[in-house]
Amino acid sequence: MDYLGQCISGLQDVLADHLSSSQSALKVLSIEDGAIIFSSAQKLDLSAFPQFNNLYQFLYRSEKSGGKGDDKAATMDEAITQCLAASKWQTPASQGARTFRLNLSDENKLVSADKKLIGQLIARIERAGSLRYTKGQPDVEYWVFRRDDGQVWFARRLTYQRVTEKDLAPGTLRPELAYALCLLSQPQADDRIMDPCAGSGALAFARARFPFNMMFISDLESEAVKNIRQALKTTHKRLEKRGRPIIVREADARHLDKIEDNFLTVIITDPPWGLYSQVEGDLEVFYSTLLTEWYRVLEKGGRLILLMGRRELLPALLKKQSALFHCEKQLNILVSGKKTAILCLRKV
């Protein structure tokens, strides 16, 4: 079976590498902007893909742009016609599903199409999957995607975004972004980790999916620390049963007095952007102070994964801190529509 995993645009190469190395039963077939196409001979454990926004099973996929001209679709009508012309689909039904809905995405925008063609596709899904079409809440969704290069994808949706931007407080990271940041830290079982700007604790809880030796979680806001402690007792109570120390404190990220010099192996954090929370004084000075303190507590060669929402500050900041940290990688992404950078730094 072939599958489509939608991810954050700009992170697809990193996530594809992890997919290939961590799951031997999977084979990455192609990497697209914001998407990874892979195959598996085994049934998927859907909970094993937290890096994806959504996961789909392909029923039909046209040749990639550059192949035969007939495989390209200039309109959604042409895309639906291709799906109808396909002589064979992979099994379209979901176990226990009775109803379905059909969605059309043209270059990442929901669209409509010729009603006759839509009706024909709905009728074929009904016959192939013994399903009934509904405009209400369905048991399963089918999607036709037309990409900007003319590719056509017809797929059944396997997972759904349970958390959206509307569900999150301003500045809170989406779970799949938090997971990707943890992957970039190159998780090791002996890591002594810290998130000194923890906020909701999304990064720390994502990192706890991987082995670690010790974890420190801190934030300047007492309410944030209180909520993290409560989450460890309820939602994430399984973490404390693993026997790995998780220490939660109220602390200023610029003055980590409780942490010894050269003690931490990795810091993964999302410091204030000066957008959702106020930052005292000049923002560049604020970031420089953070980096100086984090240099102190990281061991030689220690890793720092930093999410920054003010990309315009990066050239001057990295130049100023070049004696402290070497920038191994910078990934530019969008977070809630805002230009954001992920920095992978290593202590010099």
Side-chain angles (χ1 to χ4, degrees):
M1 294 288 186
D2 293 348
Y3 299 90
L4 164 67
Q6 291 180 329
C7 61
I8 297 170
S9 179
L11 296 182
Q12 57 273 358
D13 291 317
V14 172
L15 298 179
D17 286 344
H18 171 71
L19 200 63
S20 297
S21 61
S22 64
Q23 302 202 36
S24 57
L26 304 183
K27 179 181 179 182
V28 173
L29 302 177
S30 67
I31 303 173
E32 312 287 339
D33 182 27
I36 301 170
I37 297 172
F38 63 95
S39 64
S40 174
Q42 302 176 0
K43 184 178 180 180
L44 296 186
D45 175 6
L46 299 183
S47 65
F49 301 91
Q51 66 269 51
F52 292 135
N53 306 340
N54 296 297
L55 187 62
Y56 299 81
Q57 177 194 341
F58 276 115
L59 305 179
Y60 165 77
R61 178 161 61 100
S62 68
E63 291 293 330
K64 191 172 181 179
S65 178
K68 294 181 290 185
D70 292 341
D71 291 325
K72 299 180 184 179
T75 66
M76 179 53 68
D77 287 353
E78 290 183 13
I80 296 175
T81 300
Q82 279 194 32
C83 296
L84 289 168
S87 60
K88 185 178 180 181
W89 293 343
Q90 296 187 47
T91 306
S94 292
Q95 186 175 3
R98 296 182 179 181
T99 61
F100 75 96
R101 183 168 60 199
L102 178 64
N103 297 298
L104 310 177
S105 174
D106 194 346
E107 297 187 31
N108 296 321
K109 295 179 182 178
L110 288 175
V111 298
S112 186
D114 180 84
K115 291 183 179 180
K116 182 178 179 180
L117 289 173
I118 292 175
Q120 291 174 358
L121 185 57
I122 287 174
R124 183 167 176 185
I125 296 172
E126 287 178 330
R127 292 193 303 270
S130 300
L131 299 170
R132 176 174 54 83
Y133 175 74
T134 179
K135 292 183 179 180
Q137 190 67 30
D139 295 326
V140 63
E141 288 183 359
Y142 292 88
W143 286 73
V144 178
F145 297 94
R146 194 191 77 84
R147 302 278 287 181
D148 57 3
D149 62 358
Q151 287 187 76
V152 178
W153 299 342
F154 178 41
R156 175 172 62 99
R157 191 172 181 177
L158 300 178
T159 61
Y160 296 82
Q161 290 182 346
R162 300 304 181 189
V163 179
T164 67
E165 275 75 10
K166 294 180 181 179
D167 302 316
L168 300 172
T172 302
L173 294 184
R174 289 187 57 83
E176 59 269 20
L177 176 54
Y179 187 85
L181 290 169
C182 293
L183 287 181
L184 286 166
S185 75
Q186 303 169 20
Q188 306 293 326
D190 59 352
D191 276 341
R192 298 181 298 278
I193 317 153
M194 185 173 197
D195 181 357
C197 307
S200 67
L203 274 170
F205 297 141
R207 178 59 184 83
R209 296 176 69 105
F210 304 89
F212 63 91
N213 177 268
M214 183 179 295
M215 182 182 294
F216 296 87
I217 310 172
S218 67
D219 197 274
L220 187 58
E221 300 294 332
S222 58
E223 189 65 22
V225 173
K226 177 183 175 182
N227 291 338
I228 292 170
R229 285 174 174 158
Q230 182 61 32
L232 283 172
K233 293 178 180 179
T234 55
T235 310
H236 301 281
K237 58 185 177 181
R238 68 187 185 282
L239 299 180
E240 294 194 324
K241 294 180 180 179
R242 294 181 180 177
R244 304 171 192 146
I246 300 178
I247 301 165
V248 184
R249 292 190 180 122
E250 182 179 338
D252 188 333
R254 297 167 293 182
H255 307 289
L256 302 174
D257 301 333
K258 300 292 185 180
I259 307 295
E260 299 177 1
D261 293 358
N262 309 306
F263 180 74
L264 301 175
T265 60
V266 61
I267 291 175
I268 314 172
T269 194
D270 173 24
W273 296 4
L275 298 173
Y276 305 112
S277 57
Q278 295 298 317
V279 173
E280 296 180 4
D282 182 80
L283 195 59
E284 185 177 336
V285 173
F286 173 76
Y287 280 132
S288 294
T289 305
L290 289 176
L291 290 175
T292 299
E293 179 66 353
W294 296 345
Y295 176 85
R296 179 186 69 80
V297 297
L298 278 169
E299 69 176 13
K300 182 179 179 181
R303 309 180 300 282
L304 170 58
I305 309 301
L306 185 63
L307 184 69
M308 283 192 61
R310 303 296 292 271
R311 283 184 358 203
E312 71 275 11
L313 299 177
L314 288 180
L317 184 65
L318 291 175
K319 183 178 180 180
K320 185 176 181 180
Q321 300 294 331
S322 61
L324 305 183
F325 291 98
H326 168 63
C327 183
E328 295 184 326
K329 185 180 297 183
Q330 176 180 331
L331 299 171
N332 295 327
I333 62 172
L334 292 177
V335 176
S336 299
K338 294 179 172 56
K339 292 181 178 180
T340 307
I342 300 173
L343 295 181
C344 301
L345 307 176
R346 194 173 290 272
K347 178 175 175 177
V348 175

